[in-house]
Amino acid sequence: MRPESERLSAIERRLDSPERRSDEIAAVLPQALRRSHERGEFAPAIQKPLAKIMQVAIREEPEHFADALFPVIGPAIRKAVSEAFKTLAQQLNDAIEHSLTPRGLSWRFRAWRSGVPYSHYVMQQTRSFAVEQAFLIHASSGLLIAHAQSATQSGRDKDAISAMFSALQSFVQESFTHDNKGDLETAELGGLTVWAIHGPSSILACVIGGLPPRSLRGELRGILEGIEGAHGELLRGFPGERDVEAVVGPTLRQALDLRGGESVAPAKSATGTMKPIAIIAGLLLLGLLWLIGSTILDHMRERRLAEAFADVPGLIVSTLQSDDGKIVVHGFRDPLSAEPVQLIESAGADLSRVQLKLMPILSLDPEIVLLRTRSILRPPTGVSIELVDNIVQISGQADAAWIEQAQQTARSIPGLEQAIFDLRVNYADPPEAAAGSNDALDQLVAELDGTTVRFTEGTRFLAGDESRIDGLASRLSTFINAANAEGYEYRLRVDGYSDSQGPADLNARLRQQRASALASRLSNAISRGGDMLPSIAVAGSTDADARQAVLRVQLVRPAPQ
Amino acid sequence: MTGNRTEKVCVLGDFAVGKTSTVARFVHNEFSDKYLTTVGVKIDIKEVDLGAHGSIKLIMWDIAGTDALDGLQQAYLRGASAYLLIADGTRKETISNALNLHRDVQAIYGKLPFVALVNKSDLDSEWEVGEDETMRSREAGIEWLPCSAKSGENVENAIRSLAATLIGQ
Ligand SMILES: Nc1nc2c(ncn2[C@@H]2O[C@H](COP(=O)(O)OP(=O)(O)O)[C@@H](O)[C@H]2O)c(=O)[nH]1
Ligand SMILES: [Mg+2]
């Protein structure tokens, strides 16, 4: 019996010593907790005390929790705020939409009658919606787990709808997302609005009539989380042996209780009008395009006008700018230069939209100098005043008095620093009147006189021009023969020119050499043809800045008998 | 839970072997010669009543066919309990293509019950599938059942045997 009593006292000691007891319990506690958890007893048992502990702890040491929760709370708040904004945006969208419809007008009237601000009335009305059907769809197979519907709906084809929805989900994921992670959250099919919430093992898809507010998503998510939380096991094992519909049905039916507004609008037509936000965006875009377009048009008009005004002799445009739909042109203009009105019209611009602010000037542009010379000298018929290599040339026949006067006046014409006078005295009774004019000879003179042959830097003919010299010689010989036959006197001269580069004495020599080069070439060619050697005078000329020689042919009419 | 089961069944096979026609035959019991290019997937529902063994609702996913599974087709196959493998007796190559599909499905989703059909048995004169092909299939564990979506031969039988397998599981 001794050992018996010894064991008893040993047990007593063990029970009496809290240290030893706690050691022993500590050894088995983890396993006990695991067991209890496996039996599903632990979590319910610990839940309440744990909540209590947390409450106390948060009350006593709030700052620890604030620190711990900080990374979680930030995103949560942001999410809530953005959700609130989305809701507001949707309501605004609805409000705008309804202000454009007949219904919106009738609402406006009713709001006015009941003294409620229109915006409030719209908010109230647009919150009218109803969840008409709720599908709980098995996420992987697309099989329908449970279905709930309002009494008025018929539940035909719900299995097919469920499968089709999950097929669509797969299609969207495969076709439109990078990582197959995007979920199909809303669908508008055949006049139905379908909103889907995705859980780990199931999808809650709801057919909604009316205009659901965004906040409905949160409520639907709550329902799905309730179902997944309470019956996750059952859903993961679907289709199992138990009738899952009977289990989750009541929770699912809660979705049908989510409704808003006074009257429930019928399901929104999918073929409805464009979203007003889209219309407004469209209008803004149009406005922007118009702005850009008209700016570009302005710019193009300015450009066209500037081009029309550019390089007009005697016209200098200093600025050209659009101002309040008008184009204002500032600048200077010689009264002899081209008529601005015509320039504007030829540019296709609207005359009334162009405002000219041009100051008068005297232009030294050769073309204007030419016009000025003409307008001052007023040449009689038989005298032509033209520009030859930018130099005014006065040629033809006139009576002696006019020629003298012209040569005097010319000196005081602004811009007319040098001019070539090539005038013959006009006799009172022109010989050709008696002898008859000789059109053939005149034509030959016109053809040959002024023929230009160009040179290289030295005294060699430019290759292309040299080849024309023989042809020129044969025409000249034709002229000489004709003039001799008709009894006309003629004068031949070749003027040699040089450019202004290089030393002046060298250029003077070049002018002479070029003149004689062409003259001798022509006379050689003519004499080889059997005709007598014609006498061709040579002269250096500084009328033009060019490496060339010019043939001068003049017919001297015989004096009257 | 007998009497109210629902299962997803996919229909697989090369293009134009007669998948859509076979399902249509079996769902509405009618046949249209009009060629229908299936776009993506077509879903039909068939309740099979096996008397004392209960009944089962088959959600048939007719998947647009090629000889290899692309990502979308794989997604369509997700969660299927069984499949119909269909080939065309007038085109030899559709047999080996069906074998490839069968291997792919097994590799991704494991062994699932299936029925293999060689369709268009009404086209005797154009028949191409011989002993060679069926032998090679037998080695892979596939027994081809000749059928015709046009005449209806074996279509109903094949589906009922698949339904029985699913209920028996
Ligand atoms: N003669 C005959 N033609 C068939 C049969 N089954 C399908 N077809 C034809 O084969 C073509 C392809 O059929 P379809 O069902 O669209 O093939 P799927 O691409 O596999 O869905 C169509 O022209 C059908 O009319 C059959 O059993 N006999
Ligand atoms: Mg097809």
Side-chain angles (χ1 to χ4, degrees):
Chain A
M1 295 310 274
R2 235 193 85 157
E4 192 85 4
S5 68
E6 256 173 32
R7 266 174 55 207
L8 266 176
S9 63
I11 290 171
E12 232 167 62
R13 272 200 306 278
R14 265 172 66 192
L15 287 175
D16 283 348
S17 157
E19 289 81 20
R20 287 192 60 179
R21 257 166 58 206
S22 55
D23 276 353
E24 282 163 9
I25 291 173
V28 296
L29 189 60
Q31 201 187 345
L33 287 179
R34 215 174 297 130
R35 283 270 173 80
S36 163
H37 177 67
E38 274 161 16
R39 275 192 233 123
E41 290 159 358
F42 183 65
I46 196 83
Q47 195 179 348
K48 283 213 173 107
L50 200 64
K52 188 77 194 161
I53 290 166
M54 288 191 53
Q55 271 175 14
V56 173
I58 291 172
R59 204 168 42 231
E60 317 261 270
E61 289 181 293
E63 59 284 350
H64 284 344
F65 279 84
D67 286 351
L69 287 177
F70 179 74
V72 185
I73 283 177
I77 290 176
R78 271 198 298 281
K79 199 171 171 199
V81 169
S82 84
E83 197 70 16
F85 267 112
K86 278 184 197 159
T87 307
L88 184 67
Q90 170 121 13
Q91 284 178 352
L92 271 176
N93 205 21
D94 295 342
I96 299 163
E97 176 163 26
H98 287 288
S99 69
L100 300 175
T101 60
R103 182 160 66 168
L105 293 176
S106 94
W107 282 359
R108 202 173 272 283
F109 176 69
R110 276 188 246 159
W112 168 75
R113 226 180 30 185
S114 54
V116 178
Y118 174 64
S119 57
H120 285 196
Y121 195 84
V122 171
M123 292 293 176
Q124 227 171 48
Q125 290 300 312
T126 52
R127 270 195 226 115
S128 79
F129 66 92
V131 177
E132 289 166 358
Q133 293 189 55
F135 295 79
L136 189 67
I137 301 170
H138 189 228
S140 65
S141 66
L143 291 177
L144 186 64
I145 299 170
H147 179 243
Q149 65 191 23
S150 55
T152 53
Q153 302 290 315
S154 81
R156 266 182 53 239
D157 300 330
K158 55 190 167 127
D159 286 298
I161 290 173
S162 169
M164 205 60 224
F165 187 86
S166 96
L168 235 109
Q169 157 78 11
S170 299
F171 183 76
V172 168
Q173 276 185 347
E174 286 289 328
S175 316
F176 303 115
T177 64
H178 301 301
D179 47 4
N180 297 349
K181 289 256 165 55
D183 286 329
L184 184 60
E185 294 195 323
T186 63
E188 303 229 343
L189 299 163
L192 298 175
T193 302
V194 181
W195 278 14
I197 312 290
H198 295 257
S201 22
S202 63
I203 302 166
L204 173 62
C206 293
V207 177
I208 301 163
L211 297 159
R214 271 218 151 242
S215 57
L216 179 64
R217 286 201 83 83
E219 295 173 82
L220 292 176
R221 176 160 292 286
I223 290 176
L224 182 64
E225 279 166 1
I227 292 174
E228 290 253 6
H231 313 292
E233 210 91 3
L234 214 52
L235 297 179
R236 277 190 291 280
F238 185 84
E241 290 304 300
R242 285 183 67 189
D243 184 355
V244 187
E245 176 141 33
V247 178
V248 302
T251 320
L252 189 63
R253 294 200 73 80
Q254 289 173 9
L256 302 182
D257 297 334
L258 300 172
R259 51 180 63 238
E262 290 155 12
S263 57
V264 172
K268 215 177 107 206
S269 165
T271 58
T273 49
M274 238 202 298
K275 279 258 179 286
I277 286 290
I279 293 175
I280 289 175
L283 288 175
L284 282 176
L285 197 68
L286 276 179
L288 198 66
L289 283 178
W290 178 81
L291 209 69
I292 293 170
S294 60
T295 308
I296 291 175
L297 270 179
D298 270 359
H299 197 71
M300 273 167 49
R301 271 200 290 268
E302 275 176 37
R303 274 257 307 273
R304 285 234 302 278
L305 208 60
E307 272 164 20
F309 279 7
D311 299 328
V312 175
L315 182 66
I316 301 151
V317 172
S318 56
T319 63
L320 188 148
Q321 54 199 190
S322 289
D323 179 23
D324 198 19
K326 279 198 163 197
I327 302 176
V328 185
V329 183
H330 287 271
F332 310 90
R333 174 176 176 266
D334 189 293
L336 290 172
S337 100
E339 224 13 91
V341 172
Q342 269 159 25
L343 293 173
I344 293 167
E345 278 171 349
S346 71
D350 183 353
L351 212 62
S352 64
R353 302 187 64 178
V354 180
Q355 196 179 352
L356 294 172
K357 300 201 167 165
L358 300 173
M359 308 250 297
I361 51 159
L362 278 178
S363 170
L364 299 185
D365 192 292
E367 294 198 33
I368 300 296
V369 173
L370 171 71
L371 294 176
R372 192 176 298 134
T373 309
R374 279 184 190 151
S375 81
I376 292 174
L377 296 184
R378 307 227 215 137
T381 44
V383 173
S384 71
I385 305 180
E386 299 297 341
L387 268 190
V388 176
D389 292 325
N390 279 344
I391 291 182
V392 176
Q393 188 164 49
I394 304 160
S395 55
Q397 278 185 323
D399 55 59
W402 185 86
I403 292 174
E404 195 177 339
Q405 170 84 52
Q407 279 170 336
Q408 291 251 325
T409 313
R411 276 184 226 127
S412 57
I413 294 177
L416 191 68
E417 277 156 17
Q418 53 172 309
I420 296 171
F421 281 86
D422 190 5
L423 291 165
R424 291 180 302 281
V425 176
N426 195 3
Y427 299 100
D429 195 10
E432 63 266 40
S437 66
N438 197 312
D439 286 341
L441 275 177
D442 282 342
Q443 262 182 24
L444 278 167
V445 170
E447 179 195 321
L448 292 166
D449 184 44
T451 303
T452 303
V453 175
R454 287 166 301 169
F455 287 78
T456 63
E457 265 153 19
T459 53
R460 284 184 34 221
F461 301 108
L462 213 63
D465 287 11
E466 186 173 22
S467 61
R468 294 193 346 245
I469 295 177
D470 283 346
L472 178 61
S474 93
R475 293 299 287 164
L476 192 56
S477 126
T478 306
F479 166 74
I480 292 168
N481 289 334
N484 288 340
E486 298 287 331
Y488 279 85
E489 266 184 61
Y490 58 88
R491 276 186 206 131
L492 303 177
R493 190 183 83 228
V494 173
D495 291 337
Y497 295 81
S498 74
D499 58 26
S500 50
Q501 283 165 356
D505 54 342
L506 183 73
N507 282 336
R509 216 166 59 231
L510 263 178
R511 293 195 281 273
Q512 292 287 338
Q513 286 173 345
R514 282 170 180 161
S516 51
L518 180 57
S520 61
R521 222 358 224 283
L522 285 172
S523 45
N524 282 344
I526 292 168
S527 61
R528 238 186 288 130
D531 290 301
M532 51 122 163
L533 191 69
S535 81
I536 303 176
V538 296
S541 174
T542 54
D543 289 343
D545 191 359
R547 301 175 208 130
Q548 64 184 21
V550 177
L551 173 67
R552 293 287 164 200
V553 179
Q554 203 175 341
L555 196 59
V556 182
R557 307 193 185 255
Q561 273 98 35
Chain B
M1 186 190 96
T2 52
N4 202 14
R5 276 183 61 175
T6 312
E7 299 287 358
K8 172 173 175 177
V9 176
C10 289
V11 187
L12 296 173
D14 213 341
F15 71 93
V17 294
K19 297 182 295 296
T20 306
S21 307
T22 305
V23 172
R25 170 86 209 182
F26 152 73
V27 174
H28 307 292
N29 213 32
E30 67 186 31
F31 178 74
S32 158
D33 264 346
K34 206 168 160 249
Y35 183 80
L36 166 90
T37 307
T38 313
V39 179
V41 62
K42 185 170 172 288
I43 286 156
D44 282 296
I45 317 273
K46 172 73 174 179
E47 287 231 44
V48 183
D49 189 352
L50 293 170
H53 302 287
S55 74
I56 187 167
K57 195 192 278 177
L58 302 180
I59 316 294
M60 310 288 300
W61 288 52
D62 170 5
I63 298 172
T66 53
D67 53 348
L69 289 179
D70 64 22
L72 180 57
Q73 290 168 323
Q74 280 180 29
Y76 285 160
L77 271 158
R78 232 158 33 106
S81 307
Y83 54 98
L84 277 179
L85 200 58
I86 303 186
D88 180 345
T90 65
R91 283 148 63 209
K92 258 201 317 220
E93 75 279 7
T94 61
I95 297 269
S96 52
N97 291 343
L99 283 179
N100 290 337
L101 284 172
H102 169 72
R103 285 198 195 99
D104 286 355
V105 175
Q106 280 201 331
I108 302 167
Y109 296 102
K111 281 194 190 302
L112 294 175
F114 70 95
V115 172
L117 295 169
V118 203
N119 190 33
K120 312 197 185 177
S121 64
D122 55 295
L123 297 174
D124 278 333
S125 53
E126 296 162 43
W127 202 255
E128 276 189 359
V129 178
E131 267 307 305
D132 278 5
E133 285 79 26
T134 32
M135 271 306 292
R136 225 177 302 130
S137 297
R138 216 165 279 138
E139 284 159 16
I142 298 175
E143 200 66 59
W144 289 103
L145 188 67
C147 80
S148 168
K150 186 163 196 169
S151 70
E153 185 200 352
N154 270 339
V155 174
E156 188 86 27
N157 284 343
I159 310 285
R160 289 181 78 82
S161 83
L162 197 62
T165 314
L166 284 170
I167 279 188
Q169 273 182 342

mmCIF file of all heavy atoms in Angstrom, chain A residues 239-253:
data_model
loop_
_atom_site.group_PDB
_atom_site.id
_atom_site.type_symbol
_atom_site.label_atom_id
_atom_site.label_comp_id
_atom_site.label_asym_id
_atom_site.label_seq_id
_atom_site.Cartn_x
_atom_site.Cartn_y
_atom_site.Cartn_z
ATOM 1 N N PRO A 239 -20.993 20.337 -57.856
ATOM 2 C CA PRO A 239 -22.299 19.896 -57.351
ATOM 3 C C PRO A 239 -22.132 18.681 -56.442
ATOM 4 O O PRO A 239 -21.702 17.641 -56.910
ATOM 5 C CB PRO A 239 -23.036 19.518 -58.629
ATOM 6 C CG PRO A 239 -21.951 19.192 -59.610
ATOM 7 C CD PRO A 239 -20.698 19.862 -59.192
ATOM 8 N N GLY A 240 -22.455 18.840 -55.211
ATOM 9 C CA GLY A 240 -22.287 17.716 -54.285
ATOM 10 C C GLY A 240 -23.607 17.019 -54.058
ATOM 11 O O GLY A 240 -24.511 17.068 -54.900
ATOM 12 N N GLU A 241 -23.703 16.380 -52.945
ATOM 13 C CA GLU A 241 -24.895 15.591 -52.673
ATOM 14 C C GLU A 241 -26.041 16.447 -52.143
ATOM 15 O O GLU A 241 -27.199 16.126 -52.349
ATOM 16 C CB GLU A 241 -24.556 14.490 -51.655
ATOM 17 C CG GLU A 241 -23.669 13.394 -52.218
ATOM 18 C CD GLU A 241 -24.263 12.746 -53.475
ATOM 19 O OE1 GLU A 241 -25.375 12.195 -53.396
ATOM 20 O OE2 GLU A 241 -23.620 12.826 -54.540
ATOM 21 N N ARG A 242 -25.694 17.562 -51.450
ATOM 22 C CA ARG A 242 -26.760 18.324 -50.812
ATOM 23 C C ARG A 242 -27.428 19.279 -51.792
ATOM 24 O O ARG A 242 -26.856 19.695 -52.789
ATOM 25 C CB ARG A 242 -26.203 19.116 -49.628
ATOM 26 C CG ARG A 242 -25.918 18.236 -48.424
ATOM 27 C CD ARG A 242 -25.448 19.064 -47.265
ATOM 28 N NE ARG A 242 -26.515 19.942 -46.757
ATOM 29 C CZ ARG A 242 -26.288 20.904 -45.852
ATOM 30 N NH1 ARG A 242 -25.071 21.111 -45.402
ATOM 31 N NH2 ARG A 242 -27.287 21.652 -45.421
ATOM 32 N N ASP A 243 -28.663 19.603 -51.481
ATOM 33 C CA ASP A 243 -29.407 20.561 -52.306
ATOM 34 C C ASP A 243 -28.985 21.969 -51.897
ATOM 35 O O ASP A 243 -29.514 22.542 -50.947
ATOM 36 C CB ASP A 243 -30.909 20.360 -52.092
ATOM 37 C CG ASP A 243 -31.728 21.270 -52.990
ATOM 38 O OD1 ASP A 243 -31.118 22.113 -53.694
ATOM 39 O OD2 ASP A 243 -32.956 21.132 -53.010
ATOM 40 N N VAL A 244 -27.987 22.492 -52.612
ATOM 41 C CA VAL A 244 -27.410 23.780 -52.222
ATOM 42 C C VAL A 244 -28.432 24.900 -52.350
ATOM 43 O O VAL A 244 -28.459 25.841 -51.571
ATOM 44 C CB VAL A 244 -26.165 24.093 -53.076
ATOM 45 C CG1 VAL A 244 -25.480 25.341 -52.564
ATOM 46 C CG2 VAL A 244 -25.211 22.923 -53.051
ATOM 47 N N GLU A 245 -29.311 24.764 -53.344
ATOM 48 C CA GLU A 245 -30.284 25.836 -53.571
ATOM 49 C C GLU A 245 -31.128 26.080 -52.324
ATOM 50 O O GLU A 245 -31.391 27.223 -51.963
ATOM 51 C CB GLU A 245 -31.175 25.490 -54.771
ATOM 52 C CG GLU A 245 -32.279 26.533 -55.005
ATOM 53 C CD GLU A 245 -32.523 26.822 -56.478
ATOM 54 O OE1 GLU A 245 -32.368 25.881 -57.269
ATOM 55 O OE2 GLU A 245 -32.849 27.967 -56.814
ATOM 56 N N ALA A 246 -31.516 24.987 -51.673
ATOM 57 C CA ALA A 246 -32.346 25.119 -50.478
ATOM 58 C C ALA A 246 -31.584 25.853 -49.375
ATOM 59 O O ALA A 246 -32.165 26.629 -48.615
ATOM 60 C CB ALA A 246 -32.779 23.734 -49.992
ATOM 61 N N VAL A 247 -30.252 25.631 -49.344
ATOM 62 C CA VAL A 247 -29.451 26.226 -48.271
ATOM 63 C C VAL A 247 -29.219 27.719 -48.503
ATOM 64 O O VAL A 247 -29.384 28.543 -47.606
ATOM 65 C CB VAL A 247 -28.087 25.488 -48.157
ATOM 66 C CG1 VAL A 247 -27.234 26.124 -47.069
ATOM 67 C CG2 VAL A 247 -28.309 24.019 -47.868
ATOM 68 N N VAL A 248 -28.813 28.077 -49.734
ATOM 69 C CA VAL A 248 -28.436 29.475 -49.973
ATOM 70 C C VAL A 248 -29.613 30.324 -50.442
ATOM 71 O O VAL A 248 -29.526 31.550 -50.445
ATOM 72 C CB VAL A 248 -27.282 29.582 -51.001
ATOM 73 C CG1 VAL A 248 -26.072 28.804 -50.513
ATOM 74 C CG2 VAL A 248 -27.725 29.095 -52.375
ATOM 75 N N GLY A 249 -30.687 29.647 -50.820
ATOM 76 C CA GLY A 249 -31.853 30.343 -51.366
ATOM 77 C C GLY A 249 -32.299 31.552 -50.549
ATOM 78 O O GLY A 249 -32.423 32.654 -51.093
ATOM 79 N N PRO A 250 -32.523 31.379 -49.249
ATOM 80 C CA PRO A 250 -33.034 32.500 -48.454
ATOM 81 C C PRO A 250 -32.128 33.734 -48.510
ATOM 82 O O PRO A 250 -32.621 34.856 -48.649
ATOM 83 C CB PRO A 250 -33.075 31.920 -47.039
ATOM 84 C CG PRO A 250 -33.198 30.437 -47.240
ATOM 85 C CD PRO A 250 -32.445 30.131 -48.496
ATOM 86 N N THR A 251 -30.800 33.498 -48.429
ATOM 87 C CA THR A 251 -29.887 34.643 -48.492
ATOM 88 C C THR A 251 -29.956 35.299 -49.870
ATOM 89 O O THR A 251 -29.958 36.525 -50.000
ATOM 90 C CB THR A 251 -28.439 34.205 -48.203
ATOM 91 O OG1 THR A 251 -28.452 33.242 -47.152
ATOM 92 C CG2 THR A 251 -27.583 35.383 -47.805
ATOM 93 N N LEU A 252 -30.007 34.439 -50.892
ATOM 94 C CA LEU A 252 -30.041 34.957 -52.264
ATOM 95 C C LEU A 252 -31.279 35.829 -52.479
ATOM 96 O O LEU A 252 -31.225 36.858 -53.151
ATOM 97 C CB LEU A 252 -30.022 33.794 -53.261
ATOM 98 C CG LEU A 252 -29.840 34.159 -54.726
ATOM 99 C CD1 LEU A 252 -28.494 34.821 -54.949
ATOM 100 C CD2 LEU A 252 -29.969 32.932 -55.621
ATOM 101 N N ARG A 253 -32.385 35.402 -51.865
ATOM 102 C CA ARG A 253 -33.636 36.141 -52.057
ATOM 103 C C ARG A 253 -33.544 37.564 -51.498
ATOM 104 O O ARG A 253 -34.290 38.440 -51.922
ATOM 105 C CB ARG A 253 -34.807 35.399 -51.402
ATOM 106 C CG ARG A 253 -35.132 34.068 -52.050
ATOM 107 C CD ARG A 253 -36.545 33.608 -51.704
ATOM 108 N NE ARG A 253 -37.560 34.407 -52.417
ATOM 109 C CZ ARG A 253 -37.899 34.194 -53.688
ATOM 110 N NH1 ARG A 253 -37.310 33.238 -54.384
ATOM 111 N NH2 ARG A 253 -38.802 34.942 -54.259
#
